[in-house]
């Protein structure tokens, strides 16, 4: 299948903004998702963006989509220690979701 | 939105045995899926659970090893058969909801399986 790429690790200070990046390869992807996984837990849907949108904002979260470069980003404003988790980017490819390997976000006081 | 529950939440099993995982969604959904997340890895789709017919399996997964049922629009089971330590993983049920202008996909809390 197509590869979804994410950086593996990101560390930020509490109160700063976090930006998690993702690249995908299937230009026909219809939806792109961001999920959060805390230790020992399942996947929590954070937000998603339809492929005809460039940006979506939801409280502290901002998703930017650059279809030309097949680049997706998730910005978390005012990052808190409770935001420490693994963040997965996923593209909808036909009927299935294709996931990246996840970015571990560590928020330090 | 859809709330998904799974049973059991975790289990420790002996090799050679089988375990059936149940998935219940609190609303009717268009599609249900089963994923596997091996330790420290991303999610891999096992199969799409089709209501009233055989599941659609991804490459590398077969019905004899992972039989799946979906008797109605809100319930599905995944059986991990003849288990080996390599089957130790988190198994996640997922459901897709479709509205007029959007669709979203949710995941259950997962079943953590350890095979000894």
């Amino acid at each position: 299948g197509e590869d979804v790429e994410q950086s593996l690790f990101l560390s930020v200070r509490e109160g700063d903004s976090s930006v998690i990046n993702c690249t995908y390869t299937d230009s026909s992807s219809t939806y792109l998702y961001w999920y959060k996984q805390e230790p020992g837990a399942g996947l929590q849907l954070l937000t998603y963006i339809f492929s005809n949108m460039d940006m979506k904002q939801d409280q502290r979260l901002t998703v930017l989509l650059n279809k030309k470069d097949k680049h997706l980003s998730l910005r978390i404003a005012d990052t808190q220690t409770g935001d420490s988790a693994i963040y997965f980017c996923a593209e909808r490819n036909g009927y299935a979701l294709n996931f990246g390997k996840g970015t571990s976000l560590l928020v330090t006081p | 939105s859809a709330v998904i529950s799974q049973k059991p939440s975790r289990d420790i099993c002996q090799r050679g045995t089988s375990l059936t995982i149940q998935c219940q969604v609190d609303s009717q959904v268009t599609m249900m899926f089963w994923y596997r997340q091996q330790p420290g890895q991303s999610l891999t789709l096992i199969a799409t659970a089709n209501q009233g017919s055989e599941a659609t399996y991804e490459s590398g997964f077969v019905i004899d090893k992972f039989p799946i049922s979906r008797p109605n629009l809100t319930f599905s089971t995944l059986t991990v058969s003849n288990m080996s330590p390599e089957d130790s993983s988190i198994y996640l049920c997922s459901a897709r909801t479709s509205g007029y202008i959007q669709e979203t996909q949710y995941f259950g809390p997962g079943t953590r399986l350890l095979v000894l």
Side-chain angles (χ1 to χ4, degrees), chain A residues 35 37 40-41 48 92 95 100, chain B residues 37 42 58 96 102-103 105:
Chain A
Y35 290 89
Q37 186 177 39
Y48 64 94
R92 164 94 182 274
Y95 59 89
Chain B
Q37 186 181 24
S42 185
E58 297 300 300
R96 180 174 297 162
Q102 67 183 27
E103 67 162 43
Q105 187 154 340

Side-chain angles (χ1 to χ4, degrees), chain B residues 36 44-47 57-66 87:
Chain B
R36 181 173 74 181
T44 301
L45 178 64
I46 298 172
Y57 290 85
E58 297 300 300
S59 175
F61 298 96
V62 295
I63 187 171
D64 290 344
K65 177 68 175 176
F66 297 102
D87 295 320

Side-chain angles (χ1 to χ4, degrees), chain A residues 16-107:
Chain A
D16 289 349
S17 292
S18 307
V19 179
I20 303 172
N21 294 302
C22 170
T23 58
Y24 60 98
T25 57
D26 189 345
S27 58
S28 65
S29 295
T30 53
Y31 289 87
L32 296 124
Y33 297 84
W34 284 104
Y35 290 89
K36 176 184 180 182
Q37 186 177 39
E38 296 182 77
L43 266 69
Q44 174 193 353
L45 176 63
L46 283 179
T47 188
Y48 64 94
I49 188 167
F50 191 52
S51 58
N52 68 352
M53 300 168 66
D54 297 322
M55 185 184 85
K56 181 178 181 181
Q57 187 156 2
D58 184 1
Q59 299 182 333
R60 292 192 297 125
L61 305 179
T62 302
V63 178
L64 295 178
L65 175 60
N66 181 331
K67 289 184 287 295
K68 175 176 173 292
D69 295 336
K70 299 189 186 69
H71 183 266
L72 182 73
S73 67
L74 174 69
R75 179 177 181 270
I76 306 172
D78 187 24
T79 313
Q80 303 297 307
T81 55
D83 294 324
S84 293
I86 300 175
Y87 291 80
F88 289 95
C89 165
E91 62 174 349
R92 164 94 182 274
N93 181 357
Y95 59 89
L97 290 190
N98 188 23
F99 283 84
K101 294 187 185 304
T103 299
S104 291
L105 174 63
L106 176 65
V107 183

